[in-house]
Amino acid sequence: MLRCELVPESFFTAPGKEEKVFWKRIPSLGAVLLYEAAREESLPELYYLLTALEKNPEYNKVHIAHVGGILHLVIAQGKNLLLANRYEAPDFTTAQYYLFLALKQFQLNPEVTTVYVASPLGEEEEMSLYRYFKAVEPL
C-alpha cells in the first residue's frame, strides 16, 4: 500500500534524495502529490483519479477505485477539489459506505451524479452502484 499526501503547491518543499518519498505535480489542481514507494514509477491510485478530473465534463465529479482492500476516492465540483482520500475497505460494501458518507457530507445527490470507476467491478458491485447513481462509467 502506497502512502500519499496531497499538498498545495505553495506549501511544497522537495524532500531530500535520501528519503524514499517521491512527488508528482498536478498543475490543474495547483497541488503536489507526495508518495512513498519503492520506485518513483509506482504512482498511487489517487494520482490517476486526480489527473482524470480535468477530462471529466460533469460538474459533480466522483472518481473511485477499490484496489487491494482500499477505497481511493476523489470528489470535485467544477474546478474545486472537495476530497481526495483513501479508506480501508476490505469489501465493496464498506467501500460503498465511505462513498455515500462522503457524498452526504458534501450534499451531493447520487441520483443525479455519475460515478467514474477506475478499477474492475464485478457484476454484483456494478449493479449495486447503479441502484443509487445516475450512471456508472469506467475511468
Side-chain angles (χ1 to χ4, degrees):
M1 174 171 67
L2 298 173
R3 292 184 357 181
C4 59
E5 185 173 335
L6 189 66
V7 296
E9 208 162 1
S10 58
F11 294 164
F12 174 68
T13 303
K17 297 228 185 251
E18 66 281 352
E19 299 181 53
K20 290 258 187 214
V21 176
F22 302 101
W23 52 276
K24 197 82 163 157
R25 290 190 193 282
I26 305 175
S28 61
L29 297 174
V32 177
L33 186 68
L34 293 150
Y35 60 98
E36 262 183 17
R39 299 184 335 260
E40 186 173 6
E41 302 81 31
S42 301
L43 289 165
E45 196 68 39
L46 221 45
Y47 174 78
Y48 300 105
L49 299 179
L50 288 164
T51 55
L53 288 174
E54 263 186 285
K55 300 172 190 137
N56 186 330
E58 305 276 341
Y59 180 71
N60 291 334
K61 300 168 174 74
V62 178
H63 295 183
I64 67 168
H66 186 235
V67 180
I70 304 290
L71 172 68
H72 306 267
L73 175 61
V74 171
I75 298 175
Q77 277 189 322
K79 293 186 184 264
N80 297 321
L81 179 64
L82 301 176
L83 177 75
N85 209 345
R86 301 165 346 133
Y87 304 94
E88 283 191 37
D91 54 60
F92 196 70
T93 301
T94 305
Q96 282 184 306
Y97 168 80
Y98 285 116
L99 173 59
F100 289 118
L101 189 64
L103 292 173
K104 182 178 180 184
Q105 178 182 352
F106 296 110
Q107 299 178 352
L108 297 178
N109 182 355
E111 294 175 356
V112 296
T113 303
T114 299
V115 63
Y116 290 84
V117 184
S119 56
L121 287 179
E123 188 176 321
E124 189 175 309
E125 295 167 337
E126 188 172 347
M127 291 310 296
S128 180
L129 288 175
Y130 267 116
R131 275 184 245 155
Y132 301 101
F133 288 92
K134 174 180 87 173
V136 178
E137 297 289 335
L139 189 61

